[in-house]
Amino acid sequence: MKIWVSGFNAWGQLDIFDEKAQNQVFPDDLQTFQIFTQSDKLDILWTAITANMIEESGKILVAGCPDELVTILFQKPALCSSMAVAGNDKIVGRSIIDTLLKIYTLIVIAIENGALRTFDSLQNFRSGNGKLIENCQEFTHVVANQTSFTALSSTGEVWTWGDSRYSACLGREILCKSSASIPCLVESLSYLPTGPIKKISSGGYMTAALTEGNDLYVWGGHPGQPGILDSLASDPMPINIEGADIIDIAVGFDHILALTLERRLYTIGFGHHGQLGVNSKQQCQWKEVMLFPKKGQHIIKVYAGYKTSFVVTR
């Protein structure tokens, strides 16, 4: 297996085994996909602005400059698959990285035995001092973007909640009985032609959902800013990528990766840091990205970080 990476690399978070790059004050961004690491077993556990955490044949590795949250997750990597963090879009410089988490407005959501628990600070998360969110659903996955959370239930239903000022990120109406601040069902994603939702991904001001029948739906948007998709709106909209079935999806801060049933990789959005993998500053249409793994190998999974992209081949 191999992990390929492209994109934002100011903290050396894409140079885990490149000692020369790790020693640079400001390592170069990667404008096209490069091999990050290879092993018999690989998994990307967590991506952050300044660091990435992977599992390589049972060993946990961190690249970049880990913040407090990454440090916590390094000690308890099992938490990575059952939690999400939402925050505002303030970005601080390298010189004050130690105060990054104090500047961010962070809310942590964790899944415990299918239930959602919220933590209003990392200190409370570290101590386990969280508040249970009342809901009768059993949740299996939770993701977050800048202003909202999205949770996937065991029956394939999608529930959202977050900042009411960014209502498009919720994918549903805000009513008295379904306020923005509590998890509520995105009804338009129920009873879809190709079955229930099997995967969700979120980043920036967008969220994507993938059905059991490999159809892709996307919603979101920031008031006053153009969306990276022409059809991006507050209602989940079906996305057509050359008529292909989509088997995996990953949403970054301002870009999206999609993997088709034929194992073809497509990206769209902004690429100022190389996150599109094609050395392009912006793509308004889906564009195929050509990787050249060894004969007999193909892409099996995609991930997206803040302004980074990850592709796993096997």
Side-chain angles (χ1 to χ4, degrees), residues 48-212:
I49 295 178
T50 64
N52 298 304
M53 188 166 68
I54 71 168
E55 182 177 6
E56 180 183 289
S57 298
K59 183 179 180 181
I60 307 300
L61 303 174
V62 174
C65 184
D67 54 30
E68 184 180 354
L69 178 58
V70 173
T71 301
I72 295 173
L73 295 177
F74 181 78
Q75 298 167 352
K76 299 179 179 180
L79 292 174
C80 294
S81 61
S82 61
M83 61 170 289
V85 180
N88 59 26
D89 54 1
K90 294 180 181 178
I91 301 174
V92 299
R94 184 185 180 94
S95 62
I96 52 174
I97 185 63
D98 290 337
T99 63
L100 175 64
L101 293 172
K102 297 178 182 178
I103 293 175
Y104 268 65
T105 302
L106 294 173
I107 300 177
V108 181
I109 299 292
I111 298 177
E112 297 179 4
N113 299 320
L116 297 171
R117 187 174 294 274
T118 181
F119 303 84
D120 58 9
S121 69
L122 283 179
Q123 289 72 25
N124 285 338
F125 177 67
R126 185 189 291 273
S127 63
N129 184 22
K131 180 181 179 182
L132 187 67
I133 298 177
E134 297 294 336
N135 194 295
C136 60
Q137 299 294 313
E138 179 183 358
F139 293 102
T140 59
H141 192 207
V142 60
V143 296
N145 58 33
Q146 294 299 97
T147 66
S148 66
F149 289 96
T150 302
L152 181 64
S153 75
S154 58
T155 57
E157 293 181 327
V158 175
W159 298 66
T160 63
W161 69 105
D163 191 332
S164 61
R165 296 172 299 175
Y166 301 86
S167 58
C169 293
L170 299 177
R172 59 176 174 84
E173 284 190 287
I174 300 176
L175 304 171
C176 293
K177 62 179 181 179
S178 57
S179 73
S181 61
I182 60 174
C184 291
L185 179 67
V186 181
E187 295 183 1
S188 60
L189 291 176
S190 300
Y191 307 108
L192 294 170
T194 56
I197 301 300
K198 66 178 179 180
K199 181 177 181 178
I200 51 177
S201 181
S202 194
Y205 299 89
M206 303 172 291
T207 303
L210 199 58
T211 71
E212 291 284 357

